[in-house]
Amino acid sequence: MSVPESVITPEADKPVRVKLPRRALHGVVLLDKPLGLSSNDALQKVKRLFRAEKAGHTGTLDPLATGLLPLCLGAATKFSQVSLDSDKRYTATLRLGQTTTTGDLEGQVVTDVPVNLTREAVEAACAAFLGPIDQVPPMHSALKHEGKALYEYARQGIEIAREPRRITIHQLDILSWQNETLVIDVRCSKGTYIRTLAEDIGRHLGCGAHLTALRRTACGPVAIGQAVTLEALQAMTEAERDALICPVDVLVSDWPDVLLSHEDAGRFLSGMRRRLELPDALAMRVYGPNPTLTREQRPRIFLGSAHVTAGELIPSRLLSPAEVQSQILLP
């Protein structure tokens, strides 16, 4: 059952709108974004459902794409850039033999040729893009040129020169292939345009291709199996929705971690460096003990992130006292 942002109450035969208060929530909602909805639209819907004071997403997913969209609430927004910079995984469906003006279903068909390929040719084309490659961002993208998104120029028929960017395709597997339809599983670095990858594979095959469907299945350490649909969220009670909020540190759960003593935890939260016998590390999760621990409560509290240089634990992003306190009584 969905809880509205406001409720109508009768008063003197006249409805009165009572606005429900926002809440200071901290954590991550793993949303399975539906087709046709922009990332920001999805964010605003979820923010209203949870009545969250503060929320943000971790990088856009096109309206034509579905799948995993981590949404950060409260303190978790401090680590949204981590998710933006992390590797992603997609299931992509390509239409071989056709190219379009946009590289996907939204564009007009430019070329349409018969497809006569062998399995070996398709496998070789996919293998050609494994590893570090240079990719030219598409015109139909949100990248900025002189303050305007490239897609705005594209809609005016203006082509802007784009510099290629170095990306990495860590994995590219063929899930299925039948005539003009090729479905691939792609694990890639940040900044990868799967639409451009589809076009490049088609160009390598000599027949052209465009993207017809895209689903994000993983983002850093989190995966689509942990996600919930917007429809399911709308059907839940507020308590059921709250139970789905992942901890603030879920987006950095693949980082090495350290547990500080109560004394060191307090000093770390004040921004002080701590000298510990730890190897150098670019990023670490830092925890302190739960001061009111019972059997039902979590034994340690997430304090923030740090890096380690020459045996010193140096704070990077810290949670506020209120954000730390919000974790203490959570089961």
Side-chain angles (χ1 to χ4, degrees):
M1 179 181 66
S2 175
V3 176
E5 192 173 10
S6 57
V7 294
I8 302 295
T9 59
E11 183 178 316
D13 299 325
K14 189 175 183 179
V16 176
R17 188 172 294 274
V18 179
K19 192 172 181 64
L20 297 176
R22 295 284 185 176
R23 301 184 295 160
L25 298 175
H26 305 286
V28 179
V29 177
L30 300 176
L31 181 70
D32 186 346
K33 189 190 81 66
L35 185 70
L37 205 62
S38 73
S39 294
N40 188 59
D41 286 342
L43 170 66
Q44 297 308 320
K45 288 178 182 293
V46 171
K47 184 180 180 181
R48 284 194 295 270
L49 280 172
F50 281 90
R51 297 191 290 114
E53 288 181 350
K54 184 179 182 181
H57 61 65
T58 57
T60 58
L61 197 56
D62 287 347
L64 287 180
T66 65
L68 184 62
L69 181 65
L71 302 176
C72 297
L73 307 179
T77 59
K78 295 179 178 181
F79 304 95
S80 59
Q81 186 64 40
V82 175
S83 186
L84 187 63
D85 292 340
S86 65
D87 290 345
K88 310 295 191 300
R89 190 169 185 172
Y90 299 92
T91 298
T93 304
L94 285 61
R95 169 53 162 94
L96 304 179
Q98 280 187 352
T99 62
T100 69
T101 52
T102 60
D104 59 21
L105 278 174
E106 285 192 317
Q108 297 179 333
V109 175
V110 176
T111 63
D112 191 348
V113 301
V115 175
N116 184 20
L117 299 168
T118 64
R119 176 79 184 193
E120 291 73 21
V122 175
E123 289 177 346
C126 291
F129 294 94
L130 277 172
I133 61 172
D134 290 326
Q135 187 183 73
V136 178
M139 276 300 301
H140 288 269
S141 70
L143 287 179
K144 297 292 178 64
H145 174 75
E146 296 182 350
K148 288 174 58 176
L150 287 179
Y151 64 77
E152 295 183 59
Y153 292 100
R155 289 170 181 170
Q156 299 171 23
I158 301 172
E159 182 85 9
I160 302 296
R162 288 100 63 207
E163 291 295 323
R165 304 194 303 182
R166 178 53 59 108
I167 61 164
T168 302
I169 305 298
H170 300 291
Q171 175 186 335
L172 203 167
D173 296 325
I174 297 173
L175 297 180
S176 67
W177 169 58
Q178 188 172 11
N179 301 324
E180 297 92 0
T181 302
L182 173 65
V183 183
I184 56 177
D185 174 29
V186 182
R187 185 167 61 85
C188 55
S189 65
K190 71 169 185 176
T192 301
Y193 288 92
I194 305 299
R195 186 189 333 162
T196 299
L197 178 63
E199 291 182 300
D200 289 343
I201 290 173
R203 191 176 297 111
H204 192 280
L205 287 167
C207 62
H210 70 274
L211 189 68
T212 60
L214 184 65
R215 182 165 177 76
R216 187 154 69 190
T217 57
C219 184
V222 293
I224 191 65
Q226 303 164 264
V228 61
T229 65
L230 184 60
E231 185 179 22
L233 280 176
Q234 291 169 333
M236 293 177 183
T237 64
E238 189 167 90
E240 289 171 335
R241 281 194 288 267
D242 287 355
L244 292 177
I245 300 176
C246 299
V248 172
D249 57 344
V250 70
L251 298 180
V252 295
S253 59
D254 55 344
W255 288 4
D257 64 333
V258 61
L259 176 63
L260 301 180
S261 66
H262 180 74
E263 182 178 313
D264 277 340
R267 289 174 175 169
F268 176 81
L269 278 175
S270 68
M272 295 177 63
R273 301 183 178 197
R274 311 311 303 145
R275 181 157 291 282
L276 301 170
E277 292 185 8
L278 292 171
D280 286 2
L282 294 176
M284 291 196 74
R285 294 174 286 150
V286 183
Y287 297 86
N290 189 336
T292 60
L293 179 64
T294 68
R295 184 177 299 178
E296 291 78 24
Q297 293 166 1
R298 58 187 65 188
R300 59 183 192 170
I301 302 299
F302 182 55
L303 306 179
S305 63
H307 58 280
V308 181
T309 303
E312 280 195 317
L313 185 71
I314 304 169
S316 299
R317 300 303 300 269
L318 298 175
L319 271 62
S320 70
E323 292 164 348
V324 171
Q325 185 71 24
S326 70
Q327 303 175 68
I328 289 177
L329 298 179
L330 290 177

